Amino acid sequence: MNVRALDDHLKEMVLALHAAVNRAIPHINDDPALVDQALRDCAEILDVVLDGNVAEWLGSEGPA
Amino acid sequence: MNIVVCAKIVPLASVTIQIDPATTRIVRKDVSQELDPQAAKAVEEALRLAERRGGSVTVVVMGGEDATVGIRSALAMGATAAVHLSDPALAGSDALGTSKALAAAIKKAPFDLVLCATESSDSYTGLVPGQLAQLLGIPPLTFATALTVDGNVVTIKRQSEGGYDTVSAELPALVTVTTGINEPRYPTLKGIMGAKKKEIRKYTAADLGLGPGEVGASGARERVLTVGRPPARPPGRTVRDEGDGGRQIADFLAGLKLV
């Protein structure tokens, strides 16, 4: 398995989660629609991570 | 409209930056990195412009192999393509060497607007944008808190002590954006997966026509002589309020000529 590619992909996912949370937190009281969207986007990423389909994540760089 | 964003990949905000005492450089090896949050604002501004006016957003990054994750973040936000200047010969470049490399890479394709953060979140020199504009032969519009393009003219609002300065220039031009200009979008799952299909062109110093006298540690004219921690702050003064606390504070401030 291409561990480096997997490592990079998971880092990208975590950074995206981090960015979504950072975007939403300042707006908890003033923009519920933005917060809801960020939560949905986080859930979408987490669902894919939990599915664990590494070959799909990495495309042609899937498990070898 | 071809927009270029110069971005830096920096240690994660949660990481305490360490300096290698031997090289006086920031330790980047085995440190988790991300797209500089300041550069993300430049990417966001470029994407908003491209969405309004059409065109492409190309992100140019100079950094080691570890920079790939941060570059992909910019692509996942929506940037069209990326250019990665990655070569051991570029390591140790000072601000001018970095500017020379970025300028050489930018000149390889037509461009209308170059966006940069005002300064990076790790080294904070703020030197590169001005040098880059000079090397590209275009006007720099700095400290933008708002940015518009109308026809062939870019206009920024620059916050000043008395309000805003409005500054315009004909394209091509370079604009540096400030922290308050926008709230960057975050990469979505669709963006992350789509970014894997986007092009990251890689250039070495030789590809850019730059030799060891111009970039890298050997070409650097800037020297960091020492790096150290700031001196410990002296303890503060505690005022006990036994009926005259207000007077004691007023006297203290008057002694400092603050009131």
Side-chain angles (χ1 to χ4, degrees):
Chain A
M1 181 181 293
N2 186 340
V3 175
R4 170 68 190 268
L6 179 59
D7 188 34
D8 282 353
H9 183 78
L10 288 173
K11 277 182 188 167
E12 284 175 49
M13 295 289 210
V14 172
L15 285 172
L17 291 170
H18 194 243
V21 170
N22 279 344
R23 180 79 170 87
I25 281 178
H27 297 287
I28 282 178
N29 294 322
D30 66 18
D31 194 344
L34 184 154
V35 175
D36 285 349
Q37 184 61 51
L39 284 173
R40 281 196 294 275
D41 289 332
C42 287
E44 186 181 35
I45 290 173
L46 289 170
D47 285 345
V48 168
V49 172
L50 289 170
D51 280 348
N53 191 342
V54 175
E56 186 180 292
W57 298 349
L58 305 183
S60 60
E61 295 179 340
Chain B
M1 182 176 197
N2 297 319
I3 308 170
V4 174
V5 180
C6 295
K8 192 171 183 184
I9 310 303
V10 301
L12 277 177
S14 55
V15 170
T16 301
I17 290 177
Q18 302 291 330
I19 306 289
D20 181 340
T23 63
T24 65
R25 292 186 207 153
I26 293 174
V27 176
R28 299 183 190 276
K29 189 172 170 50
D30 298 326
V31 173
S32 292
Q33 299 188 62
E34 64 178 343
L35 175 66
D36 188 338
Q38 304 303 317
K41 290 172 185 282
V43 174
E44 174 66 33
E45 206 59 27
L47 293 173
R48 290 182 187 187
L49 265 178
E51 285 162 1
R52 287 198 298 267
R53 298 177 53 88
S56 65
V57 175
T58 302
V59 177
V60 182
V61 170
M62 186 165 120
E65 288 302 314
D66 291 350
T68 306
V69 171
I71 294 170
R72 290 210 176 280
S73 289
L75 293 173
M77 285 173 70
T80 318
V83 174
H84 185 186
L85 315 183
S86 179
D87 185 347
L90 295 169
S93 291
D94 60 5
L96 184 57
T98 302
S99 302
K100 286 176 182 172
L102 292 172
I106 291 168
K107 283 178 179 173
K108 281 185 172 283
F111 66 92
D112 301 298
L113 180 65
V114 179
L115 295 182
C116 303
T118 295
E119 58 189 1
S120 63
S121 298
D122 56 356
S123 50
Y124 293 100
T125 70
L127 294 171
V128 167
Q131 294 172 339
L132 185 56
Q134 175 72 17
L135 291 166
L136 291 171
I138 58 176
L141 279 63
T142 54
F143 300 104
T145 57
L147 166 63
T148 55
V149 175
D150 186 12
N152 195 39
V153 175
V154 57
T155 302
I156 67 158
K157 277 188 173 179
R158 176 190 295 149
Q159 194 157 16
S160 65
E161 285 184 11
Y164 289 99
D165 297 331
T166 302
V167 187
S168 294
E170 282 191 12
L171 298 174
L174 179 146
V175 174
T176 69
V177 303
T178 57
T179 301
I181 194 166
N182 60 43
E183 289 184 276
R185 69 196 69 187
Y186 50 84
T188 59
L189 180 67
K190 186 180 172 191
I192 292 169
M193 301 311 290
K196 295 186 186 302
K197 300 185 184 78
K198 292 182 180 175
E199 180 188 15
I200 302 179
R201 289 190 298 277
K202 291 206 174 191
Y203 292 136
T204 62
D207 293 335
L208 300 172
L210 297 168
E214 297 169 284
V215 293
S218 58
R221 287 184 279 173
E222 201 179 292
R223 295 274 183 270
V224 178
L225 301 179
T226 59
V227 178
R229 295 189 179 281
R233 296 174 67 179
R237 177 180 157 194
T238 304
V239 174
R240 290 189 184 282
D241 185 11
E242 294 172 349
D244 64 344
R247 175 169 293 283
Q248 284 191 63
I249 290 172
D251 289 347
F252 174 73
L253 295 175
L256 296 173
K257 297 188 170 22
L258 293 173
V259 292

